[in-house]
Amino acid sequence: MKIRNFVLGALGLAAAAAAVTLVPMQHATAQGGNSDPAQTWDAFGGNQQAQKYSTATQITPDNVKGLKMAWEFHTGDVSSGAHSTTWGATPLFANNTVYTGTPKYNIFAVEPDTGKMKWKYSANGNNGDENQGLKNRGVAYWAAANPTAGACQKMVYIGTMTGELHGVDADSGKPCAGFGKNGVVDVNAWATKNSKWKIGLIQPPAVYKDTLILGWAGNDWVYKTENPGTVYGIDARTGALKWTFNIIPDDMMDQTGTANVWAGISVDPETGLAFLPTSSPSPNYYGGDRLKEMPYATATVAVNAETGEVKWARQLVHHDIWDVDINSAPTLVDIKKDGQVIPALIQANKMGLMVVLNRNTGEPVWPIVERAYPASDIAGEVASKTQPFVPYPEPLVAEHMPPVSKLADILSFGECSRWKARIRDEGRYTPPSVRGSISWPATLGGVEWGGGALDPTTNTYVVNSNLVPQIYTLVPRADADKKYGNALRARDGYAAQQGSAYGFKLENFLNMWGMPCWAPPYGIMSSYDMNSGKLLWRKPVGQVQKWGFYMPESWGSITIGAPAITKSGLVFIGASMDSRVRAIDVKTGNILWKHIVDAPAVAQPAVYTYKGKQYVAFAAGGNGILTPRLSDQLVAFALPN
Amino acid sequence: MTQRHSTRGAWLIMLASLITIAICVYDYYTPETGLIGTGGVITVAVAGALMLMASLTMGLVANRGCFLQGFLVVSILLDIIGSSVAGYFLESPVIMAAQALALIGWLINVIGDAAERSVEIDEVEDED
């Protein structure tokens, strides 16, 4: 802290200059006409810069213990079983209303202080044609800069897993007739190349001026060729297609697919650049048919938000054969370093690396080095000889997985150590193999799709991340076909990768009792000073809960979801297996408050102020990866009057 | 061979087991507890039911054999220890408090039984 204060003090002039630039950044989020525009939450990432930051100061580290549930609202949109719901929505607060989308593709508008429903819109997306179950991460909000008379000058958008984007009037919930066809844009109609599924519009679009920037989710582990991961620029008023950006080169589209943008997108409101986190090409785990370089895949790509033209691209994983998609919207930050203000972005990723780039040029703020990694032993596969590595800021994940858990090993009569001894483990980027390879970190992160949160006044960045090895096994085609026939997926973790030489099996490294075979912690939260890059603190976050029993806090929990940060020095986060939401002291990492909600809150909370009162709202939807516990609870907390 | 054993404390154990069962039922069906539908609370509820049966036997059957007395004392103690540990990991202070209550009942019974044995021995010695 002393060092940080010294740096900040020494760079007072730069800080003052930065403050000038920060004001428009915060106010750029205000499109709802609220009395306190800086305390809205009108985008998935809190603002379009994905900072997940609120200027609200009513709830402080001193009084947060008094936080109580202000209201809860049950959408009714929850189901388990074959078509279970996965609800990772961040509620939006704009236009004096809380908006949320649900995994059964309804939009709910509720009163921000009571939780009473204002209106409901049904997108009727639940027609059984979903390709990944029933999933939703909420809605997007747009308001016309120069509104005209009539409806639909403020709109709310929801996507469906059947590839439809619906646009409704934010005041009434009625479909906007001028948007697409009676309020519906059939995005799926644009995605015809190698189409195997209807594309899934899980993630709400990013908004820049009058343009919606839309990615989508697909299946990149089922077929060799899939829909290529095109990103769409759409007119926010009319739904007309303004531009497309193809991540897969034209000459590779018959060899592969996806590399899509399924996570959030951030936008710099000053430069109009949109930052796209792109995923791995299909099939995820065997790249022998897609050896040619695809520089936009598994990368952060900056495009002009209004034209789709590429400004720069930085590939963060070469020839991805681990499914370590770049999976969260980069968080924008103005770094004060060496007497300068550097417009930057933070792309913490699944590999547990803290990539920090100049957002105007794509050049690294702290060096990215090419580090040698092991070769593949699979015929036809050529793993990249080197991968980008960021030694500083300190990585979130070490080069090698933790040792085998003695407790899990003893209780399983040595199962864990025997298993580990017979599979390939050469640390980070060990290629998948027929005998099985430890993937560390694996597809479960590192950092999951929520990303981190930034206080732009102090440039303190907090991020939760997972410490989870998984076992990647390639299954030769003949063996796969013999065992699984034409099945595309199986309960034992099998994915077909049809059309390629290998099927694939993903296993969790658990013993016969379901205990993790590696030493804890399983999930951590880290705090960085982004001016210096220094790690401020790192602590386990959340608790594992199995059969109701809570494991020690020192073990942490796998988390899916992200934090929100407030000017008053608090971090709010759900995300953990134990269905608790927490308030954490940003200075120390100590937990100051926690509360049980109906299911894990697998998205970042929204922090907003309405009629002078600060609220923290969570969608407690759950995610089957964490626990079977699912819910439809939207819940807000506030201090008592 | 049966002999008279203390019934004191059994009703306290019974009360503790009823509290345990009740809180488990509440936890199992209430989302706010974080334990809704979990196997952990079922396990503790079953342990509470076994404790209830054991304490009923202890309270109603004063004339019981040494084996039954030993079985009841040991099994109730193990039940209390197991439920306490489970309550700790379920982060349920009510379950842990109920086990503390049961432990008090158990101690009353064991001490009372020892005292009764002592009186009986004294009486036998006086008769000698």
Side-chain angles (χ1 to χ4, degrees):
Chain A
M1 286 301 293
K2 285 181 179 175
I3 294 171
R4 193 188 70 188
N5 289 340
F6 173 76
V7 171
L8 285 175
L11 303 177
L13 187 61
V20 173
T21 61
L22 284 170
V23 170
M25 283 178 76
Q26 290 163 13
H27 282 252
T29 68
Q31 299 185 59
N34 295 285
S35 56
D36 193 349
Q39 293 179 24
T40 59
W41 199 272
D42 62 5
F44 182 78
N47 54 23
Q48 296 298 350
Q49 299 95 315
Q51 292 172 328
K52 307 168 192 85
Y53 172 70
S54 171
T55 57
T57 55
Q58 193 174 83
I59 304 170
T60 69
D62 291 331
N63 65 20
V64 69
K65 277 187 180 166
L67 211 55
K68 304 285 183 201
M69 187 191 293
W71 55 262
E72 65 177 320
F73 175 77
H74 289 269
T75 67
D77 288 356
V78 61
S79 61
S80 56
H83 291 300
S84 61
T85 49
T86 302
W87 189 30
T90 293
L92 302 192
F93 173 68
N95 192 33
N96 291 322
T97 304
V98 170
Y99 299 101
T100 191
T102 74
K104 293 189 176 178
Y105 314 110
N106 294 309
I107 305 174
F108 288 89
V110 301
E111 297 279 359
D113 53 347
T114 64
K116 286 182 182 169
M117 190 173 81
K118 286 182 165 181
W119 53 258
K120 173 186 174 183
Y121 169 80
S122 179
N124 295 316
N126 180 19
N127 63 3
D129 198 22
E130 61 277 353
N131 64 18
Q132 288 190 53
L134 301 166
K135 295 185 177 180
N136 174 268
R137 294 203 199 108
V139 295
Y141 177 81
W142 165 85
N146 299 302
T148 56
C152 296
Q153 300 304 301
K154 293 172 277 187
M155 290 174 65
V156 181
Y157 307 88
I158 189 169
T160 71
M161 289 299 278
T162 53
E164 290 180 351
L165 183 67
H166 293 238
V168 304
D169 180 70
D171 289 326
S172 67
K174 298 234 167 32
C176 290
F179 184 76
K181 190 175 178 183
N182 297 320
V184 182
V185 172
D186 184 5
V187 182
N188 201 60
W190 300 335
T192 54
K193 178 73 176 175
N194 292 332
S195 178
K196 304 284 196 307
W197 320 82
K198 289 187 176 180
I199 58 175
L201 305 183
I202 298 175
Q203 181 76 33
V207 180
Y208 176 69
K209 293 184 178 173
D210 292 339
T211 303
L212 308 177
I213 304 137
L214 183 71
W216 49 270
N219 291 304
D220 38 17
W221 53 87
V222 177
Y223 292 105
K224 180 178 92 171
T225 56
E226 296 269 2
N227 288 102
T230 305
V231 178
Y232 303 101
I234 299 170
D235 188 300
R237 292 173 185 271
T238 66
L241 183 63
K242 294 173 84 170
W243 54 261
T244 58
F245 166 59
N246 289 323
I247 295 160
I248 303 282
D250 289 348
D251 62 347
M252 287 295 288
M253 286 193 185
D254 290 328
Q255 312 296 318
T256 182
T258 61
N260 48 305
V261 177
W262 58 263
I265 294 166
S266 46
V267 180
D268 185 337
E270 298 201 350
T271 61
L273 286 178
F275 304 100
L276 315 176
T278 69
S279 67
S280 66
S282 64
N284 278 150
Y285 308 98
Y286 175 72
D289 300 316
R290 51 173 174 85
L291 292 172
K292 187 180 172 185
E293 286 190 12
M294 291 180 277
Y296 298 156
T298 328
T300 302
V301 183
V303 300
N304 183 310
E306 292 185 296
T307 66
E309 182 188 358
V310 176
K311 177 82 182 289
W312 56 261
R314 171 71 57 173
Q315 188 168 65
L316 301 178
V317 180
H318 304 319
H319 189 59
D320 185 358
I321 48 176
W322 301 270
D323 191 23
V324 285
D325 310 330
I326 307 307
N327 64 340
S328 62
T331 298
L332 308 195
V333 55
D334 289 337
I335 292 174
K336 296 105 189 173
K337 186 169 179 268
D338 301 329
Q340 293 182 312
V341 176
I342 304 170
L345 61 81
I346 307 162
Q347 185 75 81
N349 62 23
K350 279 194 179 187
M351 295 312 291
L353 301 177
M354 287 283 296
V355 179
V356 185
L357 305 173
N358 183 311
R359 66 176 179 263
N360 291 339
T361 65
E363 290 304 309
V365 174
W366 284 284
I368 299 176
V369 298
E370 288 290 327
R371 182 175 277 192
Y373 283 102
S376 172
D377 59 5
I378 297 296
E381 180 61 275
V382 184
S384 176
K385 289 179 180 173
T386 65
Q387 293 287 357
F389 182 79
V390 183
Y392 189 87
E394 186 176 321
L396 297 154
V397 177
E399 279 296 272
H400 290 269
M401 67 167 282
V404 164
S405 160
K406 287 178 184 168
L407 179 64
D409 204 31
I410 289 168
L411 292 177
S412 63
F413 314 105
E415 180 192 10
C416 294
S417 51
R418 285 197 304 275
W419 193 1
K420 187 163 186 291
R422 69 173 180 263
I423 56 181
R424 191 175 174 193
D425 176 22
E426 293 163 59
R428 198 191 298 269
Y429 292 117
T430 301
S433 62
V434 172
R435 68 179 158 122
S437 296
I438 289 276
S439 183
W440 168 261
T443 187
L444 204 49
V447 175
E448 266 299 329
W449 46 259
L454 178 93
D455 179 342
T457 63
T458 63
N459 278 352
T460 304
Y461 177 75
V462 291
V463 63
N464 52 305
S465 53
N466 297 327
L467 302 170
V468 181
Q470 291 176 293
I471 315 294
Y472 285 12
T473 305
L474 292 172
V475 186
R477 185 82 278 143
D479 295 345
D481 291 347
K482 189 176 173 185
K483 183 171 181 183
Y484 298 99
N486 292 324
L488 298 177
R489 281 177 283 207
R491 285 191 175 275
D492 64 357
Y494 172 76
Q497 302 196 132
Q498 288 285 4
S500 78
Y502 293 88
F504 174 78
K505 199 169 168 183
L506 174 68
E507 292 170 281
N508 293 317
F509 193 27
L510 307 175
N511 72 7
M512 62 179 76
W513 310 110
M515 296 172 66
C517 273
W518 69 101
Y522 309 118
I524 53 173
M525 176 166 275
S526 305
S527 172
Y528 293 87
D529 173 3
M530 292 314 300
N531 290 331
S532 65
K534 184 185 172 191
L535 177 66
L536 300 173
W537 51 261
R538 175 168 290 167
K539 294 193 173 180
V541 62
Q543 280 177 274
V544 172
Q545 190 184 22
K546 187 83 173 173
W547 303 310
F549 299 115
Y550 295 95
M551 299 300 114
E553 288 188 350
S554 61
W555 291 14
S557 164
I558 297 170
T559 52
I560 299 178
I565 192 168
T566 70
K567 188 179 180 182
S568 59
L570 287 170
V571 175
F572 290 97
I573 185 168
S576 56
M577 294 174 73
D578 59 357
S579 304
R580 282 181 169 136
V581 295
R582 291 173 167 82
I584 297 171
D585 188 333
V586 74
K587 288 182 180 168
T588 64
N590 293 336
I591 294 165
L592 302 176
W593 169 86
K594 56 186 176 183
H595 194 284
I596 292 170
V597 292
D598 286 2
V602 289
Q604 56 269 27
V607 182
Y608 63 89
T609 300
Y610 180 68
K611 292 184 178 174
K613 194 165 192 172
Q614 182 183 347
Y615 296 84
V616 185
F618 295 84
N623 185 313
I625 293 172
L626 292 180
T627 162
R629 191 180 299 168
L630 306 174
S631 177
D632 61 347
Q633 183 193 34
L634 183 65
V635 56
F637 298 89
L639 294 171
N641 290 327
Chain B
M1 194 180 75
T2 59
Q3 58 186 142
R4 185 169 180 80
H5 287 276
S6 173
T7 59
R8 283 180 285 180
W11 308 110
L12 210 52
I13 300 172
M14 203 182 305
L15 176 65
S17 60
L18 286 170
I19 292 171
T20 303
I21 293 166
I23 193 66
C24 286
V25 170
Y26 176 78
D27 286 347
Y28 190 82
Y29 290 105
T30 310
E32 290 80 13
T33 64
L35 301 173
I36 183 170
T38 58
V41 287
I42 293 175
T43 305
V44 177
V46 169
L50 292 172
M51 190 189 289
L52 178 65
M53 286 192 284
S55 59
L56 275 171
T57 307
M58 185 179 268
L60 297 175
V61 185
N63 293 313
R64 51 188 184 260
C66 289
F67 175 78
L68 180 58
Q69 171 65 5
F71 175 77
L72 290 175
V73 167
V74 171
S75 60
I76 289 173
L77 181 63
L78 290 176
D79 200 324
I80 290 170
I81 293 169
S83 297
S84 298
V85 172
Y88 175 79
F89 282 105
L90 291 170
E91 298 190 359
S92 171
V94 179
I95 290 175
M96 287 192 287
Q99 301 320 303
L101 196 64
L103 184 63
I104 292 167
W106 183 87
L107 285 170
I108 289 169
N109 183 267
V110 169
I111 293 166
D113 202 54
E116 286 186 14
R117 293 281 76 70
S118 172
V119 171
E120 282 175 11
I121 290 166
D122 287 346
E123 285 171 353
V124 170
E125 284 173 352
D126 289 346
E127 285 169 8
D128 287 343

